[in-house]
Amino acid sequence: MRLFLHELRAQQRLFWRNREAAFFSFLFPIILLVLLGSVYGDEPIEGVDAATYLLVGLLGYGVAATAFASLAVTLVVRREAGLLKRVRGTPLSPATHLTAVIASMVIVIALQVVAQLLIGRYLLGADWPSAPASFAVAILFGAAAFAALGIAIAGVVRSAEGSSAVVNAIYLPMAFISGAFFSTREMPAFLEAISEVLPLTHLLRVIRATFIAGEALAGSGGPLVAVGLWGLAGLVLALRMFRWEPREV
């Protein structure tokens, strides 16, 4: 536990010292919330106050940006620089190191969620979560699923130089098609069909069910199962494909 806490503190320092990571993972979703919130009018979206609808979408986007995109890029860059390989020659176990990296990302997500809730409420007039405990668990569940997917994609990407391009090509279109910024009902039918299989679409439904409808997490039903299955698939791929040594290009 002492080694884990020491490594967790180190990972937090590394994250906040990396200005690019801190901006795109932590600050960018908050900036999007402020900018888009100032553009949206008072017209409800799918029967929900526009500010609240947008807040929920950006909360899900923030989870994907941090737990998936930032984690994947961080692991690839460290692997190709030989840093992950060196961990295996230290008293710190690889599992403890990876757990600390993921825990650090969860802390970032928690801070981001608090900031978005405060901005959404006091700047945009959005509602508070109707079921705070279920909402918090939904965020953690989504973070775990997307972290598994992030580790899996890190095993696929071969070079540090291409990591940002590959990850951004996956999660940015996913954010748009999943309805993080607007209702998917406004999209063409073929995009709606694609949206139905994306993990972020289902995570947003789980978050909306707990945040807006006040449902218990178990009441999310199909979307909750879908997020769990995506997380399980990511875990299986991560166990098979993740490497600690640099990969040959």
Side-chain angles (χ1 to χ4, degrees):
M1 180 59 70
R2 172 184 277 179
L3 278 177
F4 170 76
L5 293 175
H6 182 274
E7 182 65 12
L8 179 59
R9 287 193 295 269
Q11 292 301 323
Q12 276 289 287
R13 288 196 295 268
L14 288 172
F15 177 85
W16 296 109
R17 288 174 182 174
N18 186 334
R19 296 179 180 178
E20 291 81 5
F23 176 81
F24 284 103
S25 299
F26 177 78
L27 194 57
F28 190 58
I30 297 174
I31 293 175
L32 282 179
L33 176 62
V34 175
L35 292 178
L36 293 177
S38 64
V39 173
Y40 276 55
D42 297 327
E43 290 294 325
I45 302 174
E46 296 184 12
V48 179
D49 174 70
T52 302
Y53 190 94
L54 178 63
L55 172 60
V56 172
L58 268 297
L59 287 167
Y61 171 79
V63 170
T66 305
F68 174 76
S70 180
L71 179 61
V73 172
T74 296
L75 291 176
V76 172
V77 170
R78 292 181 183 180
R79 183 193 69 207
E80 295 307 307
L83 298 178
L84 295 185
K85 182 179 180 180
R86 294 174 194 170
V87 169
R88 305 182 76 174
T90 69
L92 182 69
S93 71
T96 301
H97 171 78
L98 190 56
T99 303
V101 173
I102 296 173
S104 178
M105 293 298 176
V106 171
I107 291 174
V108 173
I109 290 172
L111 294 173
Q112 184 184 83
V113 167
V114 171
Q116 287 177 306
L117 289 175
L118 292 175
I119 291 172
R121 175 62 178 175
Y122 294 110
L123 184 62
L124 305 178
D127 296 329
W128 291 114
S130 298
S134 296
F135 163 72
V137 176
I139 292 291
L140 289 175
F141 187 72
F146 275 92
L149 292 169
I151 297 172
I153 201 67
V156 175
V157 179
R158 302 190 65 89
S159 68
E161 291 79 6
S163 58
S164 292
V166 172
V167 171
N168 288 336
I170 295 173
Y171 99 96
L172 287 177
M174 178 175 63
F176 280 95
I177 298 174
S178 296
F181 311 123
F182 47 78
S183 173
T184 57
R185 295 178 183 176
E186 305 298 326
M187 298 191 304
F190 78 96
L191 286 181
E192 283 193 56
I194 296 174
S195 173
E196 286 299 317
V197 301
L198 296 177
L200 184 55
T201 299
H202 297 288
L203 177 60
L204 289 174
R205 288 173 180 170
V206 173
I207 296 176
R208 288 189 178 112
T210 58
F211 191 105
I212 298 171
E215 296 181 3
L217 187 63
S220 300
L224 182 66
V225 173
V227 174
L229 289 176
W230 270 104
L232 182 61
L235 179 60
V236 171
L237 289 174
L239 291 173
R240 291 178 59 88
M241 305 189 69
F242 185 73
R243 297 291 183 270
W244 293 86
E245 297 81 11
R247 297 185 57 167
E248 294 181 359
V249 181

